Amino acid sequence: MQVLAILLLFSAFLLTRASRLASAVHILLAQSAMVAAACAVESGGSMHMLIAAVLTVLIKVGLIPKALLRVVSQLKREREVDPIMGPNASSLAAAAAIVMTYAVIDRTLPGGLSWDAVAASLALVFIGLMLIITRRQAIMQIVGLITIENGLYLLGLSTTHGLPMIIELGIFFDVLVAVSVLVILTNRLKKSFQSTDTSILKKLKG
Amino acid sequence: MEELIYAALALPLLVGALSMIIAENSAIKVLNISGSLLTGGILLCITGKVVVSGVFASSFMYVDALSALLLLVVAFLSITATLFSASYMDNELARGRVKLSALKRYYALLQLFIFTMIGVLVVENLGLMWVGVETTTLASTLLVAFYFNRSALEAAWKYVMVCNVGILFALLGTIMLYYTQVGVAGTETAALSWTALRAISTQLDPMLVKLAFVFILIGYGTKAGIAPMHTWLPDAYSQAPAPVSGLLSGALLSCVLYVLIRNLVIIQAALTTSFVNYALLAFGIFSVAIAIPFILIQHDIKRLLAYSSVEHVGIVTFGLGIGTHLAAYGVVLHILNHAVVKSVLFYLVGIIGQQYGSKQLSRIRGMFAVLPGIGAMFILAMLAIVGTPPLSIFMSKFTIVLAAFEAGWPVLGSLLLLLLAGVFAGMMFYSTRMVFGTAPRRFVRTSIGKSAIMAVSCSMLWIIITGVYLPPWLQQLLEQAALLVARRG
């Protein structure tokens, strides 16, 4: 579990440095695979967790990256050129976030938990949020959103051994639908604006 | 009862699926209107049963007075929205703004949207409520983006991104609540069940509940449009087709507030301090205040109404912050009134927009001269939304302000009154300019459509009647709902 948590932190760190859309999606794929592995490790043979692990592989390692890569393959000229916060600053912020999450959970949460997993999950949430705020490319923002989702999923896993089955199924369904909706919108952005750089979306004001 | 709930959930899905298959506009219209009438009727039955025989609970479903009241709102608004859509979309078809294939998609998504809102209101579990709220975002995003032009895409992108991030914060808060529940009751026992949580709410770890509250307020607050998380709201409301704006502002907003209230009931019982109240009061006042400059200087009629929604969410949040029984009564009454009045305003603006061919405030003039009926209803609805007596919203606003004074917040109460005066000035300035004055010379009146007139006049009747007379069953429902919302002890 600890090894996985550290690998997850590493993947989130890598995301802050990615500027090619395809590599960002590939990192996301690896990250989701690690979340699935963490789920399987934590399961201890319980059926519910194994199903969740299989669903994570199916949806977050299979369907979602596939859909995103299909969009990316049509966006040949798009890449994250001039993010609001550059890769160096983002990496630094991510490192600060990781230190901060360790400091925070040390104080607030009572014992009996796998610290590294909790810290890693909160760091994933923070780094995902940072990607959404500072990246201009639509695909990058979607990657950020799923990173947050992965972080929250890991948090649920490490603190309470996952949410009840029916709620988890609902969340998986929501993630899947959310990505489909976002992919539709990204395609439309490409059609209407000839670009998926979301910084051009600033006409509506006041 | 359980069969009724399943029927109310299945019917919109069925109608939505059928709308995708049918190839003719008139058939789709008949199907959707009768479907919504039937769904609305079933929802009314559920509400009636709750009034007569009290709370209904099963393993996954839970309907008490509060959910019944909200089901009433969704029933009424889904009927008026479908009726209004029929004429509105006819006009759009005639203008060539939408194609028949897009129309099928529109009705299918509309019914899906109605389904998700009903789903939020009938589930018992806080986790499933979260899933439901997230699904409402996803169903409505493609409705916001319906025209797929540049501004609609921009609005939809902001809507889905901001609300998704916000709602993920609410999930974080919900996971924390679950963690505290596990700490008290152990795993595998009625996880995140609202009734189970309420039963043990005083034993939950206050420190963690406080943290959960912050995330839940930010999360659902984003979706409800509490400032400063409201940034997506004016864009989404102004770019969506008019019936969808009405549903977003009237029904969806109320549903999200409902989920927030459900969470607050647990949180307030777990915390002994007034932290929750201070936070809600601050966010409430801030939401009203931030809307004012945008209401005073505005160029787009739909954005004007959107900022008015921010203001009204602020009033409800403020009322929740006071937390007394009187304030709780004001809150539930206000949710009901705002839903009806704001939806009819969006419908009216939809008609006005089609007639004038513009949403720009500067272009819409002299409605009394060219559209006297619509103009009269518009000014009446505007008077209602700013809280003029004896129309319905006056009562609920008055109750909330009165509760503030009674609970020992005279300064905040006066501040709210002052801010409301500012809102009044802005809204009335623009509506009198729209209704009076000289109409543009090249104005050509087009037909409005019977079903739109029917939808609008139903709502107007409701507004006028409930201002002076609340039927006893509704009064009873409101009082029971207020008991659920009010802070106990």
Side-chain angles (χ1 to χ4, degrees):
Chain A
M1 191 66 192
Q2 264 174 348
V3 180
L4 280 171
I6 290 161
L7 279 176
L8 271 171
L9 284 177
F10 184 68
S11 79
F13 213 77
L14 270 183
L15 269 183
T16 62
R17 308 208 59 85
S19 69
R20 283 187 49 228
L21 302 182
S23 40
V25 177
H26 280 121
I27 299 171
L28 182 75
L29 191 153
Q31 188 193 77
S32 303
M34 283 182 255
V35 171
C39 192
V41 168
E42 283 281 287
S43 71
S46 94
M47 206 52 207
H48 159 196
M49 304 278 271
L50 284 177
I51 294 175
V54 170
L55 277 176
T56 310
V57 172
L58 266 180
I59 293 175
K60 286 192 198 154
V61 183
L63 286 172
I64 290 177
K66 202 177 161 198
L68 289 179
L69 284 174
R70 235 181 88 187
V71 183
V72 169
S73 69
Q74 289 156 12
L75 308 173
K76 293 221 170 58
R77 272 178 300 162
E78 303 286 344
R79 52 184 292 157
E80 188 68 46
V81 271
D82 184 24
I84 295 161
M85 203 157 100
N88 291 335
S90 312
S91 300
L92 207 64
I98 293 168
V99 173
M100 203 180 67
T101 47
Y102 268 99
V104 168
I105 59 157
D106 244 3
R107 248 189 273 158
T108 52
L109 288 181
L113 294 167
S114 40
W115 295 118
D116 299 292
V118 177
S121 57
L122 289 179
L124 279 183
V125 171
F126 181 84
I127 291 168
L129 196 61
M130 193 172 72
L131 283 178
I132 293 178
I133 296 169
T134 61
R135 296 299 188 262
R136 295 167 194 260
Q137 280 293 336
I139 295 285
M140 287 299 210
Q141 295 186 358
I142 300 175
V143 168
L145 202 65
I146 300 168
T147 305
I148 298 183
E149 219 281 325
N150 274 340
L152 288 180
Y153 186 72
L154 194 67
L155 183 73
L157 193 70
S158 49
T159 53
T160 56
H161 284 273
L163 293 165
M165 193 67 206
I166 180 150
I167 301 174
E168 251 171 23
L169 285 179
I171 296 175
F172 274 122
F173 175 74
D174 275 351
V175 173
L176 194 60
V177 180
V179 171
S180 337
V181 168
L182 285 165
V183 164
I184 293 175
L185 285 182
T186 312
N187 275 325
R188 288 287 177 165
L189 284 179
K190 173 75 183 158
K191 258 191 206 162
S192 299
F193 293 87
Q194 282 81 48
S195 158
T196 53
D197 185 333
T198 57
S199 58
I200 40 176
L201 301 177
K202 52 186 177 191
K203 215 185 94 201
L204 301 174
K205 270 191 188 141
Chain B
M1 186 72 169
E2 198 152 5
E3 299 80 32
L4 279 179
I5 296 177
Y6 285 129
L9 286 171
L11 204 58
L13 283 182
L14 187 69
V15 174
L18 283 177
S19 308
M20 292 293 278
I21 305 169
I22 298 174
E24 216 181 325
N25 180 21
S26 55
I28 297 181
K29 278 194 301 189
V30 171
L31 172 75
N32 274 277
I33 291 175
S34 44
S36 282
L37 279 173
L38 205 56
T39 315
I42 297 173
L43 292 179
L44 280 180
C45 280
I46 298 175
T47 310
K49 277 202 162 185
V50 171
V51 172
V52 175
S53 52
V55 178
F56 166 80
S58 75
S59 51
F60 284 115
M61 310 285 185
Y62 184 81
V63 183
D64 59 11
L66 185 61
S67 15
L69 183 73
L70 270 294
L71 283 175
L72 184 70
V73 169
V74 171
F76 189 75
L77 261 62
S78 58
I79 292 173
T80 54
T82 328
L83 274 174
F84 182 73
S85 292
S87 314
Y88 183 82
M89 284 299 163
D90 276 352
N91 275 332
E92 296 288 273
L93 268 178
R95 268 155 220 264
R97 284 195 68 185
V98 293
K99 294 197 194 93
L100 190 62
S101 57
L103 204 64
K104 290 182 187 178
R105 189 183 72 219
Y106 171 80
Y107 280 112
L109 285 168
L110 188 72
Q111 294 291 346
L112 186 69
F113 184 34
I114 293 171
F115 159 77
T116 55
M117 286 192 288
I118 299 173
V120 169
L121 297 176
V122 296
V123 294
E124 192 261 354
N125 189 295
L126 290 182
L128 287 179
M129 279 182 209
W130 182 87
V131 172
V133 173
E134 167 76 0
T135 327
T136 59
T137 316
L138 301 173
S140 50
T141 300
L142 290 179
L143 283 172
V144 171
F146 177 66
Y147 292 116
F148 278 137
N149 53 26
R150 286 189 169 198
S151 25
L153 278 175
E154 176 178 346
W157 185 264
K158 285 182 186 166
Y159 175 51
V160 73
M161 264 305 169
V162 175
C163 284
N164 253 321
V165 173
I167 214 74
L168 283 173
F169 276 116
L171 179 62
L172 181 56
T174 310
I175 292 177
M176 285 177 181
L177 267 189
Y178 180 45
Y179 182 65
T180 60
Q181 187 193 14
V182 171
V184 176
T187 46
E188 306 298 324
T189 48
L192 280 174
S193 144
W194 185 73
T195 39
L197 267 169
R198 195 173 58 154
I200 57 163
S201 55
T202 47
Q203 304 162 42
L204 299 175
D205 176 4
M207 183 65 207
L208 270 171
V209 171
K210 202 170 173 179
L211 204 60
F213 163 69
V214 173
F215 286 112
I216 284 173
L217 180 64
I218 292 178
Y220 291 125
T222 308
K223 190 80 210 294
I226 297 174
M229 293 87 76
H230 68 288
T231 47
W232 58 272
L233 188 146
D235 297 348
Y237 285 13
S238 65
Q239 295 307 318
V244 177
S245 312
L247 271 185
L248 282 174
S249 169
L252 179 57
L253 195 149
S254 313
C255 288
V256 179
L257 285 172
Y258 160 85
V259 177
L260 183 63
I261 290 172
R262 284 272 185 234
N263 280 286
L264 282 178
V265 169
I266 313 257
I267 290 164
Q268 286 192 315
L271 295 179
T272 43
T273 57
S274 306
F275 174 73
V276 172
N277 297 61
Y278 293 137
L280 290 171
L281 285 171
F283 273 106
I285 283 280
F286 186 64
S287 300
V288 180
I290 207 155
I292 290 179
F294 296 97
I295 286 177
L296 289 178
I297 301 169
Q298 189 49 260
H299 57 90
D300 181 313
I301 174 67
K302 283 178 98 177
R303 292 182 83 86
L304 184 75
L305 295 180
Y307 279 107
S308 153
S309 286
V310 176
E311 173 228 334
H312 283 273
V313 174
I315 296 173
V316 169
T317 314
F318 182 86
L320 287 172
I322 298 166
T324 59
H325 185 230
L326 186 65
Y329 181 78
V331 163
V332 287
L333 186 61
H334 198 79
I335 290 178
L336 174 69
N337 291 339
H338 171 256
V340 178
V341 179
K342 190 50 72 60
S343 62
V344 75
L345 269 170
F346 272 114
Y347 302 157
L348 284 168
V349 162
I351 296 175
I352 295 165
Q354 283 183 333
Q355 295 289 332
Y356 281 82
S358 170
K359 293 184 299 178
Q360 296 294 314
L361 281 166
S362 53
R363 301 239 176 108
I364 305 170
R365 291 288 166 86
M367 260 195 279
F368 259 159
V370 284
L371 297 164
I374 300 292
M377 284 200 270
F378 179 75
I379 195 95
L380 199 63
M382 276 303 228
L383 281 170
I385 201 83
V386 294
T388 322
L391 298 161
S392 58
I393 284 190
F394 167 74
M395 268 319 286
S396 48
K397 272 188 181 171
F398 179 73
T399 312
I400 291 176
V401 173
L402 183 70
F405 280 96
E406 271 197 5
W409 301 98
V411 178
L412 278 182
S414 323
L415 183 61
L416 182 64
L417 276 179
L418 199 69
L419 292 173
L420 289 181
V423 172
F424 181 87
M427 299 285 276
M428 279 327 329
F429 172 70
Y430 286 114
S431 36
T432 44
R433 271 209 332 191
M434 286 168 68
V435 170
F436 304 106
T438 44
R441 244 182 275 161
R442 263 181 280 164
F443 183 86
V444 186
R445 194 188 156 133
T446 47
S447 79
I448 293 175
K450 279 197 196 89
S451 64
I453 297 289
M454 205 145 72
V456 172
S457 26
C458 273
S459 307
M460 290 311 292
L461 265 181
W462 173 286
I463 295 168
I464 294 166
I465 292 173
T466 52
V468 286
Y469 169 75
L470 280 177
W473 60 271
L474 186 58
Q475 183 70 30
Q476 188 196 338
L477 195 65
L478 284 166
E479 271 163 19
Q480 283 171 358
L483 278 177
L484 289 164
V485 176
R487 193 149 78 129
R488 279 175 294 169

